[in-house]
């Protein structure tokens, strides 16, 4: 083996792999831009090069077993060029520079044929620099290494390489980004925790994929599936084969429904009690995971300067080249989650001009407050110090944990190259359906635990305004659940564990009493849309723009909503509003309307109710005023109770109370 940098580490220094260069598991051309940059293939040979990549020795058929050659070999035709400046195969040097002990990376490649390798790096500004190159002309595979300093990457930047074929085809047999083995104090292992609720097919598919990645199983001690549903994964026809492929690592836990936080808390607790693993990897049941990311997350955590939570990014399950969530932060004054500054959601790597080398913002290192638990590796040491998840059932448990961990000295890194595909948020109605209760209660609880601002900053004002908006939009069930959330928060931290088993049933029962919670699959199930009078000047109501128009619309609509409803509007909806157009400012202009769901599968008949509107305004105003007065005292109570709420002992009582899903 030869190295390109004679001043680098000695050639005989043992190396540990940090990140392997891989191809997609299946023949899914939609995700190919995440692995190789096909634009770099010249002219008419682009199609031939893609065919050569897919025809690499051992490349698996769809659903076949993944082997070493199938995922790692790339054939470049004569005169062609393929770049690995891609999401999954470039090396995110800025993150390794900032958060780990690694000071120098090594790119190790094995080549045959007539091949030239050119290594590039980028700066945090996205500027590209050529670093080194070498040429191999051999009928047998030859190993080469590049020693690459991480010193210039404090604010961000990547390394990547291109392979060029000369007068003969070039074959990249394998490549990996490495570091001297002495820089890693240990070779850690992980247990996997999957929480599932009536998604046996999705969950079993995950287990099957894990079983087809033996190199990943080498770092996995156990796979805990916390099954909280009645549609059991053991009953799926592929379960037995999935279980066998995992080689005795699988353990299915039958647990009553405690939501995501209860399922993940159980996986955390079981991992700690087993005492075998350094980490627990939390995975949603409805994701498709790039299994290579598991190895990368473990390697990164092993090299981290301090115990670190390592999170995976989220790609859109329905548009698989689209990066849906890159890094998440909390806007402290509003106490609201969202994309970190300097990032752009819905970035599609398949679109022209969106490749890694063409996208400057992807080269800047972005730090996270937390990572979603669709894919998140947590050190056991962290759990030992700060406890398990907060008993929140769903929503905000991952964000709260990340904030709590950072306060205790455990940062979160959302690491490029570690990712899963997940259903995107824009196709969900969880902000207005039964989950609205948990959104608002847990947002308030998390702010009471961690907000640095007096009375939570702008949160309480925003909470009241949003409850009014829902009422103006005839979403009375959502506003009612917000009132219920505030009332429960005021009752103190004791209600959290006490309601883990029963609260979701109570929430669903209360919501079911409202007309806006009753949906149908076909619009024909409702009366025909009809208006007694045509719209003013032939124009349908629109969304108010500008502060003055918004205030005017809110005041005029509030007065109107206190008045009687026309008989015609009770017999027939006045309009059919597509989901993408629904806005409180528009809906508030109608007495009734048919509104479609976010996923386009259902429709609901919203109907104005002056009595409910008046009641919601009164109770929401009084409760928010009380919460404002009592905020400081409540914050003291919640913070004092935090350790107990997250303790394994408290959780084990809740696990026992939940019983089994069958009960």
């Amino acid at each position: 083996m030869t190295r390109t940098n004679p001043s680098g580490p000695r050639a005989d220094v043992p190396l540990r792999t940090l990140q392997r260069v891989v191809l997609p598991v299946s023949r899914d051309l939609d995700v190919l831009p995440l692995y190789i940059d096909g634009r770099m293939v010249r002219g008419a040979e682009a199609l031939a090069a893609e065919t050569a990549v897919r025809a690499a020795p051992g490349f698996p058929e769809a659903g076949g077993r993944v082997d070493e050659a199938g995922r790692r070999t790339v054939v470049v035709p004569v005169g062609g060029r393929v770049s690995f400046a891609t999401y999954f195969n470039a090396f995110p040097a800025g993150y390794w520079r900032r958060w780990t002990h690694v000071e120098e990376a090594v790119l190790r490649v094995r080549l045959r044929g007539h091949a030239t390798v050119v290594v590039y790096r980028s700066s945090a500004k996205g500027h590209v620099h050529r670093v080194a190159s070498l040429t191999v002309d051999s009928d047998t595979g030859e190993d080469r290494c590049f020693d690459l300093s991480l010193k210039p990457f404090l604010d961000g930047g990547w390394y990547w390489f291109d392979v060029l074929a000369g007068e003969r085809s070039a074959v990249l047999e394998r490549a990996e980004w490495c570091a001297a083995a002495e820089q890693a104090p240990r070779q850690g292992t992980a247990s996997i925790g999957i929480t599932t609720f009536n998604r046996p097919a999705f969950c079993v598919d995950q287990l099957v994929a894990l079983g087809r990645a033996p190199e990943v199983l080498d770092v996995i001690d156990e796979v805990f599936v916390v099954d909280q549903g009645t549609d059991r994964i053991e009953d799926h026809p592929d379960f037995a084969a999935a279980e066998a492929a995992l080689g005795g690592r699988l353990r299915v836990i039958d647990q009553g429904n405690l939501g995501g936080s209860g399922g993940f808390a159980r996986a955390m607790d079981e991992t700690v009690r087993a005492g075998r693993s350094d980490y627990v990897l939390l995975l949603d049941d409805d994701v498709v995971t790039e299994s290579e990311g598991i190895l990368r997350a473990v390697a990164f955590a092993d090299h981290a300067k301090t115990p670190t939570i390592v999170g995976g990014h989220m790609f859109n399950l329905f548009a698989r080249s689209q990066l849906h969530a890159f890094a998440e932060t909390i806007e402290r004054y509003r106490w609201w989650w969202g994309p970190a500054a300097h990032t752009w959601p819905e970035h599609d790597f398949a679109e022209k001009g969106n490749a890694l080398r063409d996208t400057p913002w992807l080269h800047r290192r972005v730090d996270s407050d937390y990572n979603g638990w669709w894919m998140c590796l947590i050190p056991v040491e962290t759990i030992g110090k700060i406890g398990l998840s907060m008993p929140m059932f769903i929503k905000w448990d991952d964000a709260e944990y990340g904030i709590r961990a950072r306060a205790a000295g455990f940062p979160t890194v959302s690491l490029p190259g570690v990712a899963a595909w997940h259903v995107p948020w824009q196709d969900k109605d969880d902000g207005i359906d039964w989950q609205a209760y948990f959104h608002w209660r847990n947002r308030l609880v998390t702010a009471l635990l961690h907000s640095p601002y007096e009375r939570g900053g702008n949160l309480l004002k925003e909470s009241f305004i949003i409850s009014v908006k829902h009422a103006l939009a005839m979403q009375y069930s959502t506003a009612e659940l917000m009132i219920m959330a505030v009332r429960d928060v005021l009752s103190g931290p004791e209600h959290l564990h006490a309601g883990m088993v029963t609260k979701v049933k109570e929430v669903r029962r209360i919501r079911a009493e409202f007309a806006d919670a009753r949906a149908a699959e076909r619009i024909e199930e409702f009366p025909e849309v009809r208006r007694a009078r045509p719209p003013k000047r032939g124009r349908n109501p629109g969304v108010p723009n500008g502060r003055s128009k918004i205030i005017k619309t809110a005041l005029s609509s509030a007065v109107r909503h206190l008045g009687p409803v026309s008989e015609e509007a009770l017999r027939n909806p006045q309009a059919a509003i597509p989901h993408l157009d629904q806005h409180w400012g528009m809906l508030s202009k109608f007495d009734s309307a048919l509104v479609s769901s976010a996923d386009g599968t259902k429709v609901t008949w919203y109907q104005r109710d002056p009595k409910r509107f008046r009641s919601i305004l009164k109770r929401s105003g009084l409760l928010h005023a009380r919460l404002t007065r009592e905020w400081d005292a409540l914050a003291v109570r919640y913070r004092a109770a935090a350790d107990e709420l997250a303790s394994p002992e408290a959780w084990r009582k809740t696990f026992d109370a939940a019983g089994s899903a069958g009960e």
Side-chain angles (χ1 to χ4, degrees):
M1 182 185 298
T2 60
R3 282 188 146 93
T4 62
N5 180 7
S7 65
R10 299 189 317 276
D12 58 350
V13 172
L15 298 176
R16 175 173 173 188
T17 299
L18 308 179
Q19 174 179 317
R20 305 189 306 174
V21 172
V22 294
L23 293 174
V25 172
S26 64
R27 295 177 180 271
D28 186 351
L29 297 183
D30 285 345
V31 302
L32 197 59
L34 305 179
Y35 295 85
I36 62 170
D37 187 352
R39 299 171 315 138
M40 300 302 297
V41 182
R42 287 202 279 268
E45 293 187 330
L47 180 60
E50 182 176 280
T51 302
V53 170
R54 313 309 296 178
F59 196 89
E61 295 293 333
R65 184 178 179 83
V66 179
D67 59 35
E68 195 73 10
R71 292 208 71 187
R72 306 197 62 194
T73 301
V74 177
V75 180
V76 185
V78 173
R81 178 172 184 158
V82 172
S83 176
F84 294 91
T86 57
Y87 176 84
F88 279 121
N89 285 324
F91 183 70
Y95 293 82
W96 285 87
R97 166 74 164 86
R98 170 63 181 87
W99 298 108
T100 75
H101 294 291
V102 177
E103 297 179 352
E104 186 170 60
V106 177
L107 171 61
R108 182 169 58 193
V109 296
R110 183 171 181 81
L111 301 147
R112 71 175 186 268
H114 192 190
T116 298
V117 177
V118 184
V119 179
Y120 298 90
R121 74 170 178 87
S122 65
S123 69
K125 299 176 182 178
H127 299 157
V128 178
H129 305 261
R130 179 169 170 148
V131 176
S133 65
L134 60 77
T135 298
V136 168
D137 192 355
S138 172
D139 292 330
T140 59
E142 295 190 5
D143 293 320
R144 295 288 188 272
C145 286
F146 296 85
D147 299 319
L148 305 167
S149 173
L150 299 188
K151 188 175 182 179
F153 295 96
L154 185 60
D155 292 329
W158 302 67
Y159 275 120
W160 66 83
F161 66 97
D162 294 357
V163 177
L164 296 78
E167 296 177 356
R168 295 186 294 143
S169 295
V171 180
L172 176 69
E173 294 186 3
R174 65 173 181 263
E176 52 263 331
W177 303 93
C178 308
E182 63 191 19
Q183 296 185 69
R186 62 183 173 185
Q187 170 62 68
T189 61
S191 289
I192 293 177
I194 302 172
T195 298
T196 187
F197 183 83
N198 292 342
R199 287 192 179 116
F202 249 122
C203 193
V204 169
D205 283 348
Q206 277 205 70
L207 301 179
V208 169
L210 282 171
R212 289 174 174 164
E215 67 286 353
V216 175
L217 293 181
D218 288 342
V219 302
I220 300 302
D221 297 312
E222 292 184 89
V223 179
F224 299 106
V225 176
V226 184
D227 194 342
Q228 302 183 129
T230 54
D231 194 357
R232 310 294 297 172
I233 67 165
E234 295 101 325
D235 297 332
H236 191 277
D238 295 331
F239 175 78
E243 183 180 32
L246 292 173
R249 294 175 177 83
L250 179 61
R251 180 179 163 201
V252 179
I253 298 171
D254 180 6
Q255 177 170 286
N257 187 17
L258 297 175
S261 66
F264 287 133
R266 183 68 177 270
M268 291 178 182
D269 190 41
E270 296 292 343
T271 299
V272 173
R273 296 177 79 172
R276 299 174 60 189
S277 302
D278 301 287
Y279 314 103
V280 58
L281 176 65
L282 306 182
L283 292 173
D284 268 347
D285 61 348
D286 58 346
V287 299
V288 175
T289 306
E290 168 50 80
S291 59
E292 189 69 20
I294 298 174
L295 293 174
R296 297 175 183 183
V298 170
F300 191 90
D302 284 349
H303 289 82
K305 297 174 184 176
T306 187
T308 298
I309 297 172
V310 184
H313 293 158
M314 175 180 156
F315 280 87
N316 187 335
L317 186 62
F318 303 139
R320 296 202 173 191
S321 57
Q322 187 181 91
L323 182 59
H324 192 64
F326 186 78
E328 302 285 310
T329 56
I330 300 294
E331 189 178 339
R332 293 318 201 253
Y333 190 64
R334 293 184 57 218
W335 204 259
W336 183 238
W337 56 32
H342 312 294
T343 67
W344 297 91
E346 321 305 335
H347 181 83
D348 194 336
F349 285 94
E351 291 185 1
K352 185 176 181 181
N354 276 3
L356 176 63
R357 69 172 73 227
D358 301 326
T359 311
W361 72 262
L362 285 168
H363 297 257
R364 177 175 183 154
R365 193 193 77 246
V366 180
D367 298 333
S368 301
D369 287 331
Y370 69 96
N371 200 94
W373 283 355
W374 51 77
M375 184 180 189
C376 191
L377 186 86
I378 301 175
V380 167
E381 182 177 342
T382 303
I383 299 170
K385 185 167 182 179
I386 72 171
L388 311 179
S389 167
M390 278 290 166
M392 292 180 162
F393 197 80
I394 56 171
K395 308 302 178 186
W396 282 89
D397 46 354
D398 46 12
E400 189 283 327
Y401 199 88
I403 296 165
R404 181 165 27 120
R406 182 175 291 276
F410 303 105
T412 294
V413 177
S414 297
L415 183 63
V418 177
W421 287 267
H422 191 281
V423 175
W425 298 308
Q426 65 259 30
D427 290 328
K428 296 182 178 182
D429 274 321
D430 57 2
I432 60 174
D433 65 11
W434 63 271
Q435 297 170 85
Y437 167 84
F438 296 101
H439 267 296
W440 280 99
R441 186 200 65 175
N442 297 341
R443 183 178 175 185
L444 291 168
V445 167
T446 307
L448 283 163
L449 289 168
H450 302 292
S451 175
Y453 289 99
E454 184 179 2
R455 296 187 181 88
N458 202 52
L459 174 58
L460 298 184
K461 175 184 174 183
E462 184 172 317
S463 176
F464 174 68
I465 290 173
I466 289 178
S467 71
V468 174
K469 286 181 178 180
H470 284 305
L472 289 172
M474 300 176 286
Q475 295 165 342
Y476 300 121
S477 66
T478 307
E480 189 67 35
L481 294 183
M482 289 185 67
I483 289 171
M484 181 180 175
V486 176
R487 187 172 61 244
D488 285 351
V489 169
L490 284 164
S491 71
E494 299 78 14
H495 85 278
L496 290 169
H497 268 295
M500 281 294 289
V501 177
T502 60
K503 183 58 67 174
V504 67
K505 296 176 184 177
E506 180 185 354
V507 167
R508 287 182 176 274
R509 177 182 57 77
I510 290 174
R511 184 170 184 267
E513 297 172 1
F514 291 81
D516 62 280
R518 299 169 201 147
E521 293 185 357
R522 297 188 303 275
I523 198 168
E524 292 81 10
E525 296 182 40
F526 296 101
E528 183 181 359
V529 172
R530 185 179 300 160
R531 296 186 67 170
R533 297 179 182 178
K536 188 177 180 179
R537 297 180 182 176
R539 289 184 231 157
N540 286 315
V543 176
N545 295 314
R547 181 180 175 84
S548 62
K549 288 185 178 180
I550 289 174
I551 293 174
K552 181 180 178 181
T553 299
L555 292 175
S556 62
S557 296
V559 171
R560 181 176 168 277
H561 274 244
L562 293 171
V565 182
S566 68
E567 290 294 328
E568 294 88 349
L570 295 177
R571 289 194 297 267
N572 295 83
Q574 296 176 318
I577 309 295
H579 181 270
L580 60 104
D581 291 335
Q582 68 167 286
H583 182 278
W584 69 267
M586 175 187 289
L587 290 171
S588 66
K589 303 294 180 64
F590 295 101
D591 282 348
S592 69
L594 297 179
V595 181
S596 55
S597 61
D599 61 4
T601 63
K602 298 182 291 295
V603 63
T604 303
W605 188 3
Y606 288 6
Q607 296 173 300
R608 186 163 70 82
D609 187 331
K611 185 177 178 180
R612 284 196 189 277
F613 180 78
R614 189 179 295 108
S615 173
I616 286 170
L617 252 60
K618 180 180 178 180
R619 289 180 294 127
S620 181
L622 290 173
L623 284 170
H624 279 90
R626 179 185 165 195
L627 184 55
T628 301
R629 293 193 305 270
E630 298 181 16
W631 182 271
D632 291 343
L634 278 170
V636 171
R637 288 178 61 191
Y638 276 89
R639 295 180 190 195
D643 289 347
E644 172 63 19
L645 290 171
S647 69
E649 295 75 18
W651 266 110
R652 288 167 194 163
K653 294 177 183 177
T654 300
F655 298 151
D656 290 341
S660 72
E663 298 172 359

